[in-house]
Amino acid sequence: MKLEALEVLKNRRAIRAYKPDQVTEEELNAVLEAGTFAPTGGGTQGVQIVAVQSPENVAAVDALNAKVLNKPDAHPYYGAPTIILVFETEACFTHELDGAAVCTNMLNAAYAVGLGSCWIHRCKQMFELPEGKALLKKWGLPETLVGVASIALGYADCEHPAAKPRKNDYIVKV
Ligand SMILES: Cc1cc2nc3c(=O)[nH]c(=O)nc-3n(C[C@H](O)[C@H](O)[C@H](O)COP(=O)(O)O)c2cc1C
């Protein structure tokens, strides 16, 4: 499935229920590649994208987010079979914004290829905890990475949500 760009930007919605089936490599790669083409301040590409797919790692990341949420029994990634983590790689004052741009590109790309996705918060706090640092070490990544954002990714197991009406004063033309 391929949708026109503006249709994708308007119709993408946060998906909060997922089928257990894993996404295909082709779908995942399309989403990740779209992330790498996001704008970054000064073109520095100071962002690290980590695709988490092994059930063990997905469960660890889900539990870590639930811990930060202070709801240890919660599943903040809604059972999605893939989690994408976005990190800043070094101290630079645009990198958090760069990570947000990368994340947004991936959410829209996910919808364009027929996947559901949802931006999930608390990535910064997750990877400040010893458990988060331990995961980075296990994955062979620098423990200095700073979490910016994360994404639940998979096949939607719900009706496509409707967008809320846009607020009247969203745009001012001067
Ligand atoms: C910075 C940010 C953090 C978010 N964190 C969460 C989250 O932790 N859990 C969640 O279910 N949705 C989260 N969302 C998704 C928003 O709730 C969602 O985008 C918003 O309700 C609008 O819905 P839409 O994406 O369908 O337009 C987050 C979105 C952003 C931009």
Side-chain angles (χ1 to χ4, degrees), residues 2-145:
K2 283 208 167 30
L3 298 173
E4 293 299 324
L6 290 178
E7 199 185 336
V8 169
L9 297 179
K10 283 176 68 175
N11 293 337
R12 176 217 55 80
R13 297 275 72 80
I15 297 300
R16 297 192 173 90
Y18 293 90
K19 296 179 179 163
D21 316 59
Q22 189 53 278
V23 305
T24 67
E25 194 70 11
E26 188 185 5
E27 290 163 339
L28 176 66
N29 288 342
V31 171
L32 298 173
E33 187 185 36
T36 71
F37 280 91
T40 56
T44 51
Q45 301 181 36
V47 174
Q48 179 70 59
I49 302 170
V50 179
V52 182
Q53 286 201 300
S54 83
E56 183 195 349
N57 284 329
V58 167
V61 172
D62 191 49
L64 186 53
N65 197 303
K67 179 172 181 172
V68 175
L69 195 54
N70 211 14
K71 291 185 182 168
D73 297 330
H75 292 290
Y77 293 91
Y78 305 111
T82 295
I83 296 173
I84 302 175
L85 303 168
V86 178
F87 296 91
E88 305 173 47
T89 60
E90 58 196 79
C92 162
F93 61 86
T94 70
H95 283 181
E96 192 178 8
L97 301 172
D98 297 349
V102 167
C103 189
T104 306
N105 257 27
M106 291 195 285
L107 295 175
N108 287 314
Y111 183 57
V113 299
L115 297 176
S117 69
C118 188
W119 183 316
I120 306 296
H121 196 44
R122 297 169 291 283
C123 197
K124 182 169 167 55
Q125 300 93 313
M126 287 161 70
F127 289 92
E128 287 169 349
L129 290 175
E131 297 94 319
K133 302 266 177 222
L135 283 176
L136 290 172
K137 193 171 178 190
K138 176 183 162 194
W139 299 336
L141 293 166
E143 291 169 51
T144 50
L145 289 179

